[in-house]
Amino acid sequence: MSWIKRNAETVTAIGTAITALVAVLALAGVKLQIDATQQLHDTQAGKEIYREFLSLSIKNPELAQPGDCPNFTPDRAISYDFFVEHLLFTAEEAVLFDENLALSFENLLSNHGYAICGEAAWTGYTEDVNKMISRTQKRICPEYPTCSE
C-alpha cells in the first residue's frame, strides 16, 4: 500500500495517458468505420444507378443494341438520341460513386457506334465520361461502317 501512496502521481499520470490513448484509438476506429460505411454506400449507389439503366435497356432492346446502321422511324430516332444521352448521364453519375463501373459503361457504349462515331465532338460531360467516349471512338470508329441517312 505504501508503494501506491509513494507513486500516486506517477500511477495517475500513466492512467491518464492510457485513457487518452484509448480515446484517440476509439476516434480513429470511428473514422475508419465512417469511411467504410461511406465507401459501401457509394458502391451500392453506383450499382443501383447501373441496375436502373440495365432495366431500361431490357425494356428497350432495340435502343440498347441498335446494330450498325439502325433504320429508326423519326420518333424512334429521337428516343434513341435520348437513350444515348441517358447512357452517358448514367455513366457520369455511376462512375462518380464507383469508378469500377467505368469499364461496364464503356462496354455498353460500344453498342452505340452509330451515335458515338457519328458525332465527332461530345461536350458537356465529366472528364471521366469524355475519356470513355474518346477510348470508345478510337476502338470502334475506324472500322465502323458508313451509314447512309
Side-chain angles (χ1 to χ4, degrees):
M1 200 53 125
S2 63
W3 181 86
I4 293 178
K5 285 182 182 180
R6 281 192 317 258
N7 297 302
E9 282 186 30
T10 304
V11 171
T12 302
I14 291 171
T16 302
I18 290 173
T19 301
L21 180 63
V22 169
V24 168
L25 291 174
L27 285 173
V30 168
K31 171 71 169 123
L32 289 173
Q33 183 64 39
I34 290 170
D35 290 348
T37 301
Q38 183 64 46
Q39 178 63 37
L40 179 62
H41 172 268
D42 289 352
T43 300
Q44 288 303 110
K47 287 180 180 178
E48 184 61 31
I49 292 168
Y50 181 62
R51 188 177 301 115
E52 288 174 16
F53 183 79
L54 291 179
S55 178
L56 177 66
S57 297
I58 290 167
K59 293 175 185 171
N60 296 280
E62 73 284 358
L63 299 178
Q65 292 192 327
D68 287 343
C69 296
N71 187 18
F72 292 125
T73 64
D75 286 344
R76 211 56 182 154
I78 292 170
S79 295
Y80 178 68
D81 289 344
F82 282 113
F83 184 88
V84 173
E85 287 291 334
H86 186 68
L87 168 61
L88 295 171
F89 173 77
T90 303
E92 204 169 64
E93 292 292 306
V95 171
L96 283 176
F97 286 111
D98 185 357
E99 60 190 37
N100 295 324
L101 290 171
L103 183 59
S104 297
F105 278 102
E106 202 167 314
N107 288 334
L108 289 173
L109 200 54
S110 294
N111 294 324
H112 299 282
Y114 179 72
I116 298 302
C117 298
E119 180 77 33
W122 288 87
T123 58
Y125 297 100
T126 61
E127 183 179 342
D128 287 336
V129 171
N130 285 332
K131 287 178 183 177
M132 206 180 302
I133 293 168
S134 179
R135 284 190 304 265
T136 302
Q137 286 175 323
K138 287 176 185 172
R139 193 174 72 248
I140 68 172
C141 294
E143 298 176 14
Y144 200 81
T146 303
C147 301
S148 59
E149 296 291 323

